[in-house]
Amino acid sequence: MSDILDRLAQTLEARKQADPQSSYVAKLYAKGLDAILKKVAEEAAETIMAAKDGERDKIIYETADLWFHSLVLLAQQGIRPEEVLNELARREGLSGLAEKASRKEGA
């Protein structure tokens, strides 16, 4: 499953050097962090609305948009998808309550 994430990460890195007139992602990068964050928020809201509507295909489509724009954000911040996957792996088997409590202790 992470093959697609690796390929997307490579493409998103390459788009950092692309002409904003030729690439949607390059245009987002050129607009800066606030524009990227706005897209993530917009896609999150659309995902929520799709879930509220209960339309399976729309939920999948909107979640793909949300994940894509989240990957753009990660790339813009210099974070690779495997870093997030590693964090998910670290949490695997942990109680959600215990994991949340451990974050509070370390804060």
Side-chain angles (χ1 to χ4, degrees):
M1 180 181 354
S2 67
D3 289 348
I4 186 66
L5 293 178
D6 290 338
R7 289 193 306 274
L8 274 171
Q10 290 173 5
T11 299
L12 294 174
E13 278 301 314
R15 294 298 188 266
K16 288 180 177 180
Q17 308 306 318
D19 178 359
Q21 299 302 316
S22 68
S23 164
Y24 169 75
V25 172
K27 188 180 291 189
L28 272 179
Y29 287 144
K31 289 181 178 179
L33 180 60
D34 285 348
I36 295 168
L37 294 174
K38 184 177 176 183
K39 283 303 295 181
V40 171
E42 175 186 317
E43 298 305 341
E46 290 175 1
T47 301
I48 291 167
M49 291 185 297
K52 294 284 276 182
D53 292 343
E55 296 179 36
R56 179 181 167 77
D57 289 344
K58 194 171 177 183
I59 294 167
I60 293 167
Y61 181 87
E62 295 300 346
T63 300
D65 280 351
L66 175 58
W67 287 10
F68 177 81
H69 287 89
S70 294
L71 289 168
V72 172
L73 171 63
L74 291 175
Q76 193 270 347
Q77 294 290 306
I79 300 169
R80 305 251 330 140
E82 62 263 17
E83 293 178 71
V84 177
L85 294 175
N86 290 341
E87 176 60 16
L88 288 172
R90 183 192 69 79
R91 295 180 187 187
E92 188 175 17
L94 288 178
S95 156
L97 296 174
E99 195 282 328
K100 188 172 182 177
S102 73
R103 284 187 279 148
K104 287 183 180 179
E105 292 170 9

